[in-house]
Protein backbone atom coordinates (compact mmCIF):
# COMPACT_ATOMS: atom_id res chain seq x y z
CA UNK A 1 0.00 0.00 0.00
CA UNK A 2 1.32 3.41 -0.96
CA UNK A 3 0.32 6.04 1.58
CA UNK A 4 1.21 9.62 2.41
CA UNK A 5 4.88 9.67 3.38
CA UNK A 6 5.87 6.59 1.31
CA UNK A 7 9.27 6.83 -0.36
CA UNK A 8 9.99 5.80 -3.96
CA UNK A 9 12.99 3.43 -3.77
CA UNK A 10 13.20 1.85 -7.25
CA UNK A 11 12.00 2.37 -10.82
CA UNK A 12 12.05 -0.80 -12.94
CA UNK A 13 14.31 -2.44 -10.31
CA UNK A 14 16.88 0.38 -10.52
CA UNK A 15 17.49 2.03 -7.11
CA UNK A 16 16.62 5.74 -7.05
CA UNK A 17 17.01 6.63 -3.36
CA UNK A 18 20.38 8.34 -3.86
CA UNK A 19 19.57 9.72 -7.32
CA UNK A 20 18.99 13.47 -7.84
CA UNK A 21 15.35 14.51 -8.12
CA UNK A 22 15.76 15.56 -11.78
CA UNK A 23 17.14 12.13 -12.72
CA UNK A 24 14.16 10.35 -11.14
CA UNK A 25 11.68 12.68 -12.87
CA UNK A 26 13.41 12.03 -16.22
CA UNK A 27 13.25 8.24 -15.61
CA UNK A 28 9.52 8.50 -14.90
CA UNK A 29 8.73 10.79 -17.82
CA UNK A 30 10.63 8.59 -20.34
CA UNK A 31 9.21 5.28 -19.14
CA UNK A 32 8.22 2.42 -21.42
CA UNK A 33 5.80 -0.34 -20.39
CA UNK A 34 5.99 -2.18 -18.10
CA UNK A 35 6.61 0.32 -15.31
CA UNK A 36 7.48 -1.23 -11.96
CA UNK A 37 7.71 1.10 -8.98
CA UNK A 38 8.86 0.06 -5.52
CA UNK A 39 7.97 2.09 -2.43
CA UNK A 40 9.06 1.98 1.18
CA UNK A 41 6.27 2.54 3.68
CA UNK A 42 6.80 5.45 6.06
CA UNK A 43 7.86 4.50 9.58
CA UNK A 44 5.33 4.54 12.40
CA UNK A 45 5.99 4.97 16.10
CA UNK A 46 4.07 6.11 19.16
CA UNK A 47 5.25 6.91 22.63
CA UNK A 48 5.74 9.35 25.47
CA UNK A 49 8.46 12.00 25.31
CA UNK A 50 9.27 15.19 27.18
CA UNK A 51 8.97 18.42 25.19
CA UNK A 52 10.67 21.70 26.04
CA UNK A 53 7.91 24.32 26.23
CA UNK A 54 8.85 27.96 25.80
CA UNK A 55 6.35 30.41 27.26
CA UNK A 56 4.85 32.92 24.90
CA UNK A 57 2.84 35.97 25.88
CA UNK A 58 0.83 35.48 22.67
CA UNK A 59 -0.08 31.81 23.20
CA UNK A 60 -2.90 31.42 25.72
CA UNK A 61 -2.71 27.60 25.59
CA UNK A 62 0.82 27.69 27.07
CA UNK A 63 -0.42 29.71 30.01
CA UNK A 64 -3.28 27.36 30.81
CA UNK A 65 -0.99 24.30 30.78
CA UNK A 66 1.71 25.98 32.82
CA UNK A 67 2.63 24.25 36.08
CA UNK A 68 3.78 27.63 37.40
CA UNK A 69 0.80 28.06 39.70
CA UNK A 70 2.27 25.31 41.92
CA UNK A 71 5.94 26.34 41.78
CA UNK A 72 7.94 29.52 42.17
CA UNK A 73 9.41 29.66 38.63
CA UNK A 74 9.80 32.92 36.71
CA UNK A 75 7.22 33.25 33.91
CA UNK A 76 9.87 33.63 31.22
CA UNK A 77 11.60 30.28 31.96
CA UNK A 78 10.91 27.27 29.70
CA UNK A 79 9.73 24.02 31.28
CA UNK A 80 9.50 20.34 30.32
CA UNK A 81 6.14 18.68 29.73
CA UNK A 82 5.34 15.03 29.03
CA UNK A 83 3.44 14.53 25.75
CA UNK A 84 2.26 11.63 23.62
CA UNK A 85 4.05 11.69 20.24
CA UNK A 86 3.09 9.83 17.07
CA UNK A 87 5.14 9.42 13.91
CA UNK A 88 2.97 8.55 10.92
CA UNK A 89 2.40 9.52 7.31
CA UNK A 90 5.56 11.62 7.09
CA UNK A 91 4.52 13.84 10.02
CA UNK A 92 5.30 14.08 13.72
CA UNK A 93 2.12 14.63 15.72
CA UNK A 94 2.32 15.89 19.29
CA UNK A 95 -0.96 15.10 21.02
CA UNK A 96 -1.54 17.90 23.49
CA UNK A 97 -4.53 16.08 24.96
CA UNK A 98 -2.53 13.02 26.09
CA UNK A 99 -2.58 9.61 24.41
CA UNK A 100 -6.05 10.15 22.91
CA UNK A 101 -5.12 9.91 19.22
CA UNK A 102 -8.73 10.58 18.18
CA UNK A 103 -8.65 14.19 19.41
CA UNK A 104 -9.15 16.89 16.82
CA UNK A 105 -6.14 18.19 14.88
CA UNK A 106 -6.64 21.63 16.42
CA UNK A 107 -5.49 20.18 19.76
CA UNK A 108 -2.31 18.73 18.22
CA UNK A 109 0.95 20.15 16.95
CA UNK A 110 1.71 18.62 13.54
CA UNK A 111 5.21 18.94 12.10
CA UNK A 112 5.79 17.79 8.50
CA UNK A 113 9.03 15.85 8.13
CA UNK A 114 9.68 16.74 4.50
CA UNK A 115 12.61 19.14 4.42
CA UNK A 116 13.14 18.88 8.17
CA UNK A 117 16.38 18.28 10.06
CA UNK A 118 17.11 16.37 13.25
CA UNK A 119 20.05 16.96 15.58
CA UNK A 120 21.16 15.51 18.88
CA UNK A 121 21.40 18.11 21.65
CA UNK A 122 24.31 18.51 24.05
CA UNK A 123 23.10 18.23 27.68
CA UNK A 124 24.84 21.54 28.46
CA UNK A 125 22.41 23.28 26.08
CA UNK A 126 19.29 21.98 27.86
CA UNK A 127 20.14 22.34 31.55
CA UNK A 128 21.95 19.01 31.92
CA UNK A 129 19.07 16.97 30.47
CA UNK A 130 20.27 13.85 28.69
CA UNK A 131 18.88 12.02 25.61
CA UNK A 132 17.53 15.20 23.94
CA UNK A 133 17.11 15.84 20.24
CA UNK A 134 15.83 18.77 18.21
CA UNK A 135 13.58 18.69 15.16
CA UNK A 136 13.65 21.71 12.83
CA UNK A 137 10.79 21.85 10.34
CA UNK A 138 10.42 25.07 8.40
CA UNK A 139 10.46 27.89 10.93
CA UNK A 140 9.45 25.55 13.78
CA UNK A 141 11.98 24.08 16.17
CA UNK A 142 11.08 21.64 18.91
CA UNK A 143 13.29 19.98 21.52
CA UNK A 144 12.29 16.53 22.74
CA UNK A 145 13.73 14.25 25.41
CA UNK A 146 13.66 10.45 25.39
CA UNK A 147 14.02 8.30 28.48
CA UNK A 148 17.25 6.57 27.39
CA UNK A 149 19.88 6.70 24.60
CA UNK A 150 18.39 3.74 22.67
CA UNK A 151 14.96 5.36 22.57
CA UNK A 152 16.51 8.67 21.48
CA UNK A 153 18.38 7.00 18.61
CA UNK A 154 15.28 5.04 17.60
CA UNK A 155 13.16 8.20 17.39
CA UNK A 156 15.81 10.23 15.53
CA UNK A 157 16.53 7.42 13.05
CA UNK A 158 12.84 6.92 12.27
CA UNK A 159 12.29 10.67 11.89
CA UNK A 160 15.23 10.94 9.45
CA UNK A 161 13.97 7.97 7.42
CA UNK A 162 10.38 9.21 7.59
CA UNK A 163 11.13 12.15 5.30
Amino acid sequence: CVTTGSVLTAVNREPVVSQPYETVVKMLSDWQPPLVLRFLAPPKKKGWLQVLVHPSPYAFHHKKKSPRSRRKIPNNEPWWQQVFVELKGGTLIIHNGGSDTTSSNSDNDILPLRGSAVSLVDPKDVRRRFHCFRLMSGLESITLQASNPNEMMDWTTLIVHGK
Side-chain angles (χ1 to χ4, degrees), residues 99-112:
S99 62
D100 177 21
T101 58
T102 60
S103 61
S104 69
N105 284 344
S106 63
D107 295 340
N108 303 327
D109 292 323
I110 300 173
L111 291 125

Side-chain angles (χ1 to χ4, degrees), residues 11-23:
V11 175
N12 290 334
R13 297 192 176 122
E14 185 177 333
V16 296
V17 173
S18 60
Q19 296 291 328
Y21 177 76
E22 295 80 17
T23 303

